[in-house]
Amino acid sequence: MSKVSTALVIGGGIAGPVMGLALAKAGIRGTVHEAHPVTADGAAAMLSLAPNGLDALRVIGADTAVTAVGHAVPGVVMADGGGNRLAEFGGFPGLPATLAMARADLFRALADRAVAGGVPIEYGKRLVSVQESPEGVTAVFADGTTAGADILIGADGIRSTVRTLIDPAAPGPEYGGVLSFGGYATGVDVPAEPGVMYFAFGRAFIGYWRLPNGRICWFASLPHATPMTSAEVRKVPAADWLVRLRELYTGHVPGQALLEHTEPGDLMAVGAMERMPSLPHWHRGRMVLVGDSAHAPSSSSGQGASLAIESAVELARCLRDLPDPAAAFSAYERLRRDRVEMIGGDAAAKNKAKAGQAGARPALPDPEQMFGPVHRHHIAWDEPATADLVRG
């Protein structure tokens, strides 16, 4: 096998455009193939991008574009269901603030930045099969077209087609026991200082922050015995979901107030909270996984987008520095697996607490334990990947 010069990237959400830009910086020509006919819309969800994700975006020159669509929330307050503050954290000196934004805005910002950086994105390209040879790989799409390159990178999300092509026996997403909702509360009197993200635990969990327009954006979890897709959740009238959520959060400060001041039209029904369990195989032959297709940690981590971005940049660095795809893929997995599985495992514990499982409520560590090793992670792009392998 020879050194990589071309790549097919399957998936145009978060990891895909980042992968295209990182490949370009590494001197590799990559084309992104997205199944949807337009830039993915993000299913009306909100997300946060942590300092480590912003640091990785800075490597490929995409941080400014993303900062423009988010707003800074450098502070964190942990509270209980009675409104009592348990812990506070104002961010680490020298690190950028966490950004909160609509997932759809992040998708568009990354896609636009990738195209501006010379990365082609082809829409309406749903992958159905892959043909490998000693010289390269050919992707076959549902519209009958094909595309070839040296390697194929699966950035196609938690229900990845590429994952099943690499390993037909690979596990699928695990349900976390709760349905995720978000919404916008108007005219509610709860403590919500600008630039602060609040996490309120109790019989149920709710997180929230104040938007620049004064409204409060919140996210919450509803324990549910069986998973439902986003489409299935949206078929249920929003008013019905609000009735159930308000019942769950009765007596919860500030959850009750936030839900009482949320109209049905301001409810965001996201769907089942899921995570990827540990995969036996991240790569095979000329195919490799990146982002949620390999290591989706569930939204409880606050790290899904950031880890996907990190992995895309790290994979490009390994492809730049190692002599062939097999060596590059192995190095990439060695550099990434322990970190993403540690964060994913922590998120799984939080999921249990949100699902109301007895004894599952996580302890509240100090800010350094909770955020330090995760937020300070830095990809040393200007150093060879082999140097990290030796240190690791």
Side-chain angles (χ1 to χ4, degrees), residues 213-345:
N213 63 10
R215 301 175 84 193
I216 295 179
C217 182
W218 57 264
F219 52 96
S221 302
L222 179 67
H224 199 267
T226 58
M228 298 175 67
T229 67
S230 297
E232 290 171 338
V233 172
R234 287 195 291 270
K235 286 181 180 178
V236 178
D240 293 353
W241 285 124
L242 271 176
V243 169
R244 295 183 61 180
L245 286 163
R246 286 168 178 165
E247 179 182 358
L248 176 65
Y249 284 88
T250 297
H252 184 290
V253 179
Q256 179 174 332
L258 290 169
L259 288 160
E260 287 175 348
H261 287 78
T262 300
E263 297 297 324
D266 289 327
L267 182 72
M268 296 182 290
V270 179
M273 181 179 290
E274 298 176 311
R275 66 179 290 266
M276 278 305 302
S278 179
L279 292 181
H281 307 288
W282 283 23
H283 56 90
R284 178 178 63 79
R286 291 181 174 270
M287 296 187 291
V288 66
L289 301 173
V290 70
D292 281 359
S293 64
H295 53 65
S298 94
S299 58
S300 294
S301 69
Q303 280 287 322
S306 294
L307 291 182
I309 292 165
E310 284 182 2
S311 286
V313 174
E314 192 68 87
L315 175 56
R317 185 170 75 131
C318 290
L319 288 165
R320 178 197 67 185
D321 295 342
L322 278 297
D324 56 60
F329 295 165
S330 294
Y332 153 70
E333 182 176 351
R334 285 174 57 193
L335 291 172
R336 295 299 297 162
R337 185 182 278 274
D338 286 350
R339 173 172 169 80
V340 300
E341 292 193 351
M342 178 273 293
I343 293 171

Side-chain angles (χ1 to χ4, degrees), residues 26 71 78 366:
H71 63 275
M78 310 290 284
D366 65 47

Side-chain angles (χ1 to χ4, degrees), residues 85-100:
R85 293 192 179 202
L86 304 177
E88 299 183 35
F89 174 58
F92 291 110
L95 294 183
T98 291
L99 295 180

Side-chain angles (χ1 to χ4, degrees), residues 196-221:
V196 178
M197 185 87 69
Y198 292 79
F199 299 95
F201 296 87
R203 186 165 59 92
F205 162 86
I206 195 165
Y208 62 97
W209 71 95
R210 187 176 296 280
L211 297 168
N213 63 10
R215 301 175 84 193
I216 295 179
C217 182
W218 57 264
F219 52 96
S221 302

